[in-house]
């Protein structure tokens, strides 16, 4: 059997053509025309006014936190079950990350636990839509209104997803996306900030470009970063965006296929096909081993690796990260749901290039471990 990678993107649209155009015209830096085109088209696809393309989804979070003026003494509430980039952006800004546990069914932050964590120092709620279902946003928005908080929406896994019919990425003060190759659409490396706030957009553009000033270019009032996206990346992005609807439909179909193939295994929890507010987009297809299973995700992944099937573990909780514990953060924290799925969850091959036949092979191997 040929190895089945955990992810493989599809690059067989106009990627070649647009990349060729970059080379032909000599526009390869961030000054090239595809960057603007990608920003405008992607922002429009999410229904936002301003798009600011950056070099990855992690720095997009850094820029979002900085653009909102979050810093020393401020607190930001976020899910403990997420990627390090979220908490890192908060910590690097000198602010304090405050975590909440997740819902055992959707794996998203438990919105009922947010209000208890709000203090006079809270500046923002960073919501992260996990694996394919959005966070239940209405309650978050109500809290943000009630306490005057910003919402930073990490929509890195949500291209093409909606919440009650509204596009994910349009639900907060500012949102961020990633275009890493395992996301629904890719630019190799890449990210984007979206907002409807013109001033915030302007701040992001400045932070992305070292805070150069228009008049006195090399005189700096603030510290920024070089977070620019190249024209080459944006060219791929424009080509990928043309196929977003197709990719999303395929991902949803793939989720259905896996769910049918794995339906009769009692010892594993599958992703929810839908919530009341959204249909799963299956960014990745996650599995959580139930409590009665004698081994954990690590062992299951080793077995699948021996059968040449690529997997990834679930996120590791922010409050259990050695790097943060060494800083004295999260000392008394306990989030039992997230701690459990971090140990018993993993995802199986989910890339858009995966074939139905490969999915059947993966499902057979998963059944084999759990028999
Ligand atoms: C992928 C991802 C990121 C980081 O994006 P990169 O482009 O890999 O830096 C941030 N947040 C979430 C939720 C992600 O899934």
């Amino acid at each position: 059997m040929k190895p089945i990678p955990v992810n493989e993107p599809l690059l067989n649209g106009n990627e070649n053509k647009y990349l060729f155009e970059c080379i032909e015209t000599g526009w390869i830096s961030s000054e090239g025309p595809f960057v603007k085109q990608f920003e405008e088209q992607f922002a429009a696809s999410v229904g936002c006014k301003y798009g600011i393309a950056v070099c990855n989804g992690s720095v997009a979070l850094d820029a979002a936190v900085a653009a909102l003026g979050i810093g020393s003494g401020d607190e930001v509430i976020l899910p403990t079950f997420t990627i390090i980039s979220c908490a890192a952006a908060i910590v690097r800004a000198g602010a304090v990350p405050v975590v909440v546990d997740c819902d055992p069914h959707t794996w998203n932050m438990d919105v009922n636990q947010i209000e208890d964590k709000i203090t006079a120092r809270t500046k923002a709620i960073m919501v992260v839509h996990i694996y394919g279902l959005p966070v239940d946003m209405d309650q978050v928005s109500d809290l943000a209104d009630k306490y005057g908080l910003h919402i930073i929406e990490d929509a890195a896994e949500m291209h093409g997803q909606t919440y009650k019919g509204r596009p994910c990425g349009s639900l907060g003060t500012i949102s961020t996306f990633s275009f890493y190759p395992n996301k629904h659409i890719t630019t190799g490396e890449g990210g984007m900030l979206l907002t409807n706030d013109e001033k915030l957009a302007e701040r992001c553009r400045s932070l992305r470009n070292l805070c150069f000033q228009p008049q006195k270019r090399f005189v700096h009032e603030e510290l920024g970063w070089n977070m620019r996206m190249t024209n080459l990346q944006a060219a791929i992005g424009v080509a990928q965006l043309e196929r977003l609807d197709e990719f999303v439909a395929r991902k949803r179909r793939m989720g259905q296929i896996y769910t049918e193939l794995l339906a009769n295994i009692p010892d594993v929890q599958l992703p929810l096909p839908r919530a009341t507010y959204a249909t799963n987009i299956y960014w990745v297809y996650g599995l959580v081993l139930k409590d009665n299973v004698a081994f954990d995700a690590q062992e299951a992944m080793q077995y699948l690796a021996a059968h040449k099937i690529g997997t990834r573990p679930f996120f590791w909780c922010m409050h259990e990260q050695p790097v943060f514990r060494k800083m004295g953060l999260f000392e008394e924290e306990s989030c039992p749901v997230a701690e459990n799925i971090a140990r018993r969850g993993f995802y199986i091959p989910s890339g858009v290039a995966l074939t139905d036949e490969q999915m059947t092979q993966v499902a057979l191997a998963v059944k084999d471990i759990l028999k």
Side-chain angles (χ1 to χ4, degrees):
M1 193 179 97
K2 259 180 53 189
I4 304 179
V6 71
N7 175 68
E8 205 179 332
L10 273 179
L11 301 167
N12 50 0
N14 282 322
E15 289 81 0
N16 244 323
K17 181 171 164 227
Y18 299 158
L19 274 174
F20 185 75
E21 237 175 273
C22 297
I23 306 293
E24 282 270 282
T25 59
W27 282 115
I28 57 172
S29 79
S30 59
E31 293 288 309
F34 280 118
V35 177
K36 205 157 189 294
Q37 187 184 341
F38 186 44
E39 287 177 337
E40 287 174 1
Q41 290 179 349
F42 190 74
S45 79
V46 179
C48 280
K49 272 197 200 150
Y50 308 103
I52 303 95
V54 292
C55 53
N56 60 65
S58 300
V59 295
L61 287 161
D62 285 294
V65 169
L68 289 170
I70 291 166
S72 179
D74 297 335
E75 293 176 359
V76 179
I77 296 172
L78 79 163
T80 194
F81 188 72
T82 185
I83 191 167
I84 192 77
S85 317
C86 301
I90 298 163
V91 170
R92 287 200 179 107
V96 178
V98 176
V99 294
V100 299
D101 202 352
C102 58
D103 178 279
H105 308 291
T106 64
W107 305 328
N108 271 306
M109 74 195 294
D110 182 349
V111 293
N112 296 308
Q113 296 185 26
I114 296 173
E115 192 162 17
D116 277 349
K117 305 272 177 162
I118 297 175
T119 73
R121 290 181 297 278
T122 308
K123 282 281 147 42
I125 304 168
M126 183 184 279
V127 299
V128 187
H129 308 298
I130 298 287
Y131 294 169
L133 277 176
V135 173
D136 193 353
M137 286 302 292
D138 280 350
Q139 233 171 304
V140 181
S141 304
D142 288 349
L143 287 173
D145 289 345
K146 183 171 166 189
Y147 292 95
L149 308 175
H150 295 301
I151 295 176
I152 301 169
E153 187 189 359
D154 183 346
E157 306 174 359
M158 289 295 117
H159 321 67
Q161 177 60 295
T162 57
Y163 171 80
K164 295 189 176 170
R166 293 151 62 204
C168 290
S170 71
L171 307 168
T173 318
I174 191 164
S175 69
T176 63
F177 282 86
S178 163
F179 305 110
Y180 189 71
N182 65 358
K183 314 295 184 185
H184 291 100
I185 57 170
T186 182
T187 60
E189 301 284 348
M192 184 97 70
L193 291 127
L194 297 183
T195 182
N196 287 319
D197 182 324
E198 192 182 353
K199 283 216 179 77
L200 214 45
E202 204 39 61
R203 278 189 59 73
C204 291
R205 274 189 214 107
S206 176
L207 288 164
R208 161 181 77 178
N209 197 25
L210 296 166
C211 295
F212 284 135
Q213 300 199 84
Q215 308 305 328
K216 299 181 192 165
R217 183 170 177 86
F218 294 112
V219 179
H220 299 264
E221 297 286 342
E222 278 182 273
L223 285 181
W225 294 269
N226 176 356
M227 297 179 171
R228 301 183 300 256
M229 176 185 274
T230 68
N231 202 48
L232 298 163
Q233 292 166 307
I236 298 174
V238 168
Q240 288 270 297
L241 186 55
E242 292 169 352
R243 301 183 68 188
L244 177 58
D245 293 347
E246 175 198 337
F247 289 169
V248 165
R250 174 65 187 155
K251 284 285 237 187
R252 286 212 162 103
R253 178 72 195 126
M254 288 166 64
Q256 270 175 4
I257 293 172
Y258 266 145
T259 300
E260 281 160 23
L261 289 169
L262 299 169
N264 297 321
I265 313 178
D267 292 338
V268 67
Q269 178 191 348
L270 307 181
L272 279 187
R274 65 189 60 78
T276 53
Y277 47 78
T279 309
N280 206 324
I281 200 174
Y282 300 102
W283 171 56
V284 294
Y285 198 93
L287 303 175
V288 177
L289 301 170
K290 291 194 179 160
D291 293 343
N292 59 308
V293 177
F295 49 88
D296 64 5
Q298 209 61 41
E299 220 171 300
M301 290 189 295
Q302 274 164 14
Y303 175 91
L304 291 170
H307 290 75
K308 301 198 179 97
I309 293 171
T311 57
R312 288 282 182 281
F314 269 20
F315 292 130
W316 194 250
C317 300
M318 290 307 105
H319 71 279
E320 295 193 287
Q321 293 293 343
V323 61
F324 295 141
R325 299 304 286 260
K326 279 184 263 179
M327 294 175 182
L329 289 165
F330 307 124
E331 254 158 22
E332 302 291 315
E333 199 66 59
S334 135
C335 298
V337 176
E339 287 164 24
N340 183 59
I341 65 171
R343 286 161 176 78
R344 303 190 71 78
F346 62 100
Y347 63 86
I348 52 181
S350 308
V352 78
L354 201 68
T355 65
D356 291 9
E357 195 193 340
Q358 286 175 314
M359 293 172 71
T360 305
Q361 288 170 5
V362 172
L364 280 176
V366 170
K367 281 184 179 164
D368 215 37
I369 328 174
L370 288 158
K371 72 167 183 263

